[in-house]
Amino acid sequence: MKSSKILMALAVLALAVLLLFSNKFNKPITKENIILENIATRTSVREYKDEPVEEAKVEKLLRAAMAAPTAMNKQPWHFVVVNDKDQLKALSETSPYAGMLAKAPLAIVVCGDMLKAIEGGGRDFWIQDASAATENLLLAANAMGLGAVWTGVYPSKDRCDAIAKVLELPSNIIPLNVVVLGYPTSNKPAPKDKWKPANISYNRYGSTDGKTIDMEKMTENTVFSEFDYTDDFTGNPFLWFKGDGLLLAVGDKDKSNAMTIGWGALGNLWGHDVNTLTVYVSESRYTQQMMENCKYFTVMTFDESRKDILSYMGSHSGRDEDKAKALGLHTQYTEHGAPYYQEAYEVYECELIYKAPFDPAGMTGPGVEFYANRPNTKIHHMYIGKILSAKRR
């Protein structure tokens, strides 16, 4: 009776997990989608909770690694599992990029065994074999709720020698990398979108070989899901607009434009339930004219891999060209008709509830200095938008 209750509970839990997956990603529950989602959501995690990884999970990781393809089935690999705190600390000092090892609960050093490598010209295939094993290990870790990061060792002789000394490796064992593992903290980074059609050729380099590439279809699998930004906002409001900036887009299906912004604010106004996103646009910007005449606008974030979008949008004018077309971006529209790009990571749709130019008479300190040092810079306008929705890829 007890075992049947346990089985029933497990069945209910499994069903709940499947329903959660289906609702979250708006995709049917299939083996294909689950596997592809695991690949797409894998990311490098460098901060871990202070708790060990269970031995059973370590074995599963190693089994996954050893299931990788290998030339002539030589399996020229060896895995060193490290969970001793002193050893982890010593490993953290073998590379300038391995500092996270000092606070991690586990590391698996993926090595090549030269006694099992192919003889002759195919000897270096061990690198491909061990790399395939490493990717299997990383994907297995993600599927099990673990965080992991690949830190490179080979072909750096200094790092190889340092690792070999710490682990007392014989001369036939060459460390390829160190995979650092643990349960991720709440600071787990979002996965990066590395999809770039420009990296694809057909039949010969740089050629489509007469093939017409339908870019809309190539990106049709990009799915955005709405999220509760009041509970699941992952940025720091004081740093959110800094760095590479964000992208502001405005217009409609007939005409739209976007620009990179580095100033802004998050908060609320005229009621605690009126959450706001404020942007500032100079009179000299082409976008400012559209902001004056449109009721809705969007603000977007992008993965680090798409910094090129923010750089281009900030250094070119919509007066001279269609910037979205120049970048090969795919324009979509919100429920209220505001433009956004399918390549974005997050999209915040806002309804304009207040606009006004800055009044120089009301400025003190930084504002006065800013315009005094830039006599050719036109005054900025403030646009306060009520956040209507937020969605994330």
Side-chain angles (χ1 to χ4, degrees):
M1 179 66 71
K2 185 177 180 180
S3 61
S4 63
K5 288 183 177 180
I6 293 175
L7 289 174
M8 179 65 73
L10 289 174
V12 172
L13 177 62
L15 179 60
V17 171
L18 289 174
L19 288 174
L20 177 63
F21 175 87
S22 179
N23 292 335
K24 182 175 181 182
F25 298 108
N26 298 321
K27 297 178 181 178
I29 302 169
T30 65
K31 181 179 179 181
E32 175 186 348
N33 282 341
I34 292 173
I35 291 173
L36 291 176
E37 192 62 39
N38 185 51
I39 293 172
T41 57
R42 187 214 63 80
T43 186
S44 296
V45 177
R46 295 176 173 81
E47 295 182 26
Y48 317 95
K49 295 179 180 178
D50 186 20
E51 59 181 279
V53 178
E54 301 88 335
E55 289 185 11
K57 287 193 174 182
V58 175
E59 181 175 330
K60 287 182 180 180
L61 291 170
L62 295 170
R63 285 181 177 274
M66 294 185 202
T70 164
M72 298 176 63
N73 197 31
K74 286 291 187 177
Q75 303 175 39
W77 45 51
H78 189 88
F79 305 89
V80 182
V81 179
V82 183
N83 54 17
D84 179 83
K85 290 293 185 183
D86 292 335
Q87 284 289 81
L88 289 166
K89 178 66 166 62
L91 286 176
S92 73
E93 299 170 354
T94 61
S95 165
Y97 307 103
M100 77 291 292
L101 276 158
K103 295 183 178 180
L106 176 70
I108 297 178
V109 185
V110 182
C111 307
D113 185 345
M114 295 303 99
L115 296 182
K116 294 185 287 186
I118 298 174
E119 296 292 339
R123 191 168 181 78
D124 281 347
F125 278 130
W126 76 267
I127 300 172
Q128 297 183 33
D129 295 348
S131 295
T134 303
E135 183 67 7
N136 272 16
L137 195 159
L138 293 171
L139 291 173
N142 189 53
M144 289 190 281
L146 295 168
V149 62
W150 174 329
T151 62
V153 178
Y154 185 86
S156 169
K157 185 177 185 305
D158 291 342
R159 296 183 196 177
C160 286
D161 291 345
I163 295 284
K165 183 177 180 180
V166 171
L167 301 180
E168 301 179 10
L169 301 178
S171 59
N172 61 292
I173 301 295
I174 301 176
L176 178 72
N177 60 62
V178 179
V179 178
V180 193
L181 296 130
Y183 286 100
T185 66
S186 58
N187 296 323
K188 181 179 179 180
K192 300 175 181 177
D193 182 8
K194 301 179 181 179
W195 168 249
K196 291 186 178 179
N199 292 334
I200 303 170
S201 296
Y202 287 86
N203 298 312
R204 59 187 61 80
Y205 181 79
S207 172
T208 62
D209 199 32
K211 179 181 178 64
T212 300
I213 303 176
D214 189 336
M215 298 303 295
E216 295 296 337
K217 287 186 177 180
M218 292 181 77
T219 57
E220 66 182 3
N221 289 326
T222 298
V223 176
F224 285 90
S225 298
E226 289 204 15
F227 69 99
D228 183 358
Y229 61 89
T230 62
D231 184 58
D232 192 23
F233 182 74
T234 57
N236 181 330
F238 295 102
L239 302 176
W240 201 48
F241 294 88
K242 294 184 179 180
D244 298 302
L246 305 176
L247 199 67
L248 166 67
V250 64
D252 53 33
K253 292 185 179 181
D254 294 327
K255 187 177 183 181
S256 63
N257 192 56
M259 62 171 282
T260 304
I261 55 173
W263 297 356
L266 296 167
N268 46 52
L269 181 66
W270 300 319
H272 292 296
D273 60 338
V274 183
N275 299 311
T276 58
L277 196 165
T278 303
V279 297
Y280 306 97
V281 185
S282 169
E283 289 180 353
S284 62
R285 300 305 297 261
Y286 180 62
T287 303
Q288 192 267 334
Q289 301 171 21
M290 293 189 181
M291 290 293 290
E292 287 294 309
N293 299 304
C294 292
K295 187 176 181 181
Y296 302 97
F297 64 90
T298 62
V299 172
M300 292 166 273
T301 69
F302 289 83
D303 294 328
E304 286 190 15
S305 61
R306 296 314 313 264
K307 288 182 179 180
D308 59 309
I309 295 175
L310 295 167
S311 176
Y312 193 93
M313 288 288 188
S315 58
H316 293 71
S317 174
R319 294 188 183 91
D320 305 321
E321 61 176 328
D322 184 335
K323 295 189 287 185
K325 184 177 181 180
L327 288 167
L329 301 180
H330 299 83
T331 306
Q332 303 293 320
Y333 299 90
T334 67
E335 178 184 351
H336 298 94
Y340 70 95
Y341 301 122
Q342 201 164 332
E343 289 75 7
Y345 173 60
E346 289 181 340
V347 180
Y348 296 81
E349 181 186 16
C350 302
E351 178 184 3
L352 186 63
I353 59 174
Y354 181 80
K355 61 182 179 180
F358 281 156
D359 182 359
M363 293 182 187
T364 61
V368 175
E369 295 173 4
F370 178 87
Y371 291 103
N373 294 331
R374 299 167 178 81
N376 295 324
T377 298
K378 294 185 178 180
I379 204 73
H380 284 73
H381 288 235
M382 174 173 61
Y383 298 94
I384 303 177
K386 176 184 176 182
I387 302 176
L388 301 178
S389 66
K391 52 188 174 184
R392 179 181 291 153
R393 175 163 43 75

